[in-house]
Amino acid sequence: MARLPRYFAEGEAQHVIQRGNNREPTFASERDFAFYRDCLLRASAEHGLAIHAYVLMTNHVHLLATPEHENSLPKTLQSVGRRYVQYFNYTHRRSGTLWEGRYRATLVEAERYLLTCMRYIEMNPIRAAMVEHPADYPWSSYRANAQGHPDPLVTPHELYRRLDRSDEQRQSAYRQLFRAQIPKGDLEAIRQSTHKAWVLGNDRFRAKIERLSGRRAAPLPKGRPVNQ
């Protein structure tokens, strides 16, 4: 069966996950993380991908990013893949594929889910029990978004900018968001939409994407015949 084309809507952010093949490690040293981030910085700048949040985990990567063009995201990840896999295989004396199949991505309704998705991404090291606070993990966008640390990889989203006019107050407002747990319903929505390639948003947003893409943006309600 032919693969469906990925969703794309101008100006809309996407949540992206790329995992290691068989969930094996894709980063084995601090140098690996640094080299991957450098590859991502160069490729995203070249292909027009604005990255708002990211985390590099031991065996997978999360991005929240807005593509400038339909090919911005695939070309960025293809470029990173070529450079990084060659580096990783040479450095660690291995061969073969590093990432599993295609990356997973979903469009995100910004007003409803963007800030929640940023928190979801930057809280990954906490959920994995790797650190006690997101600021303790060096390979994510948290320090840039919450503390103002320089990170050329991060491009603030307009909704993030609206948190406050000044950088200091904006960062403070962003930190306040992390005091509350992400609701279980939102966690499930983020996970299901990304893993199953459905659009993350309300019915109106999904209908908009369906009009633009010409295909469904959400699963059919249970019990509804497919041909209706």
Side-chain angles (χ1 to χ4, degrees), residues 6-7 12-19 36 40 49-51 53-56 60-67 72-74 76-77 102-108 117 120-121 124 190 193-195 200:
R6 299 186 187 278
Y7 294 109
E12 302 292 353
Q14 298 195 31
H15 177 210
V16 183
I17 301 178
Q18 189 168 33
R19 296 190 180 277
Y36 181 93
L40 185 57
L49 184 70
I51 297 173
Y54 71 89
V55 67
L56 313 182
H60 66 282
V61 172
H62 283 265
L63 305 175
L64 182 65
T66 301
S72 294
L73 178 57
T76 293
L77 293 184
R102 302 173 91 199
Y103 63 86
R104 298 176 182 181
T106 185
L107 284 169
V108 177
C117 203
Y120 174 82
I121 289 171
N124 258 261
I190 291 170
S193 62
T194 307
H195 288 291
L200 178 61

Side-chain angles (χ1 to χ4, degrees), residues 15 42 61 67 78 100-101 112 135 161 164 192 208 213 225:
H15 177 210
R42 294 187 183 188
V61 172
Q78 287 168 9
E100 71 166 15
R112 172 66 178 85
R161 291 185 181 277
D164 204 278
Q192 289 296 317
K208 167 189 169 182
S213 65

Side-chain angles (χ1 to χ4, degrees), residues 106-138:
T106 185
L107 284 169
V108 177
E109 180 191 0
E111 293 287 345
R112 172 66 178 85
Y113 283 106
L114 187 125
L115 292 174
T116 301
C117 203
M118 289 176 67
R119 290 162 57 205
Y120 174 82
I121 289 171
E122 293 171 354
M123 287 291 288
N124 258 261
I126 307 296
R127 290 192 295 274
M130 299 173 73
V131 293
E132 294 184 359
H133 191 277
D136 298 331
Y137 193 73

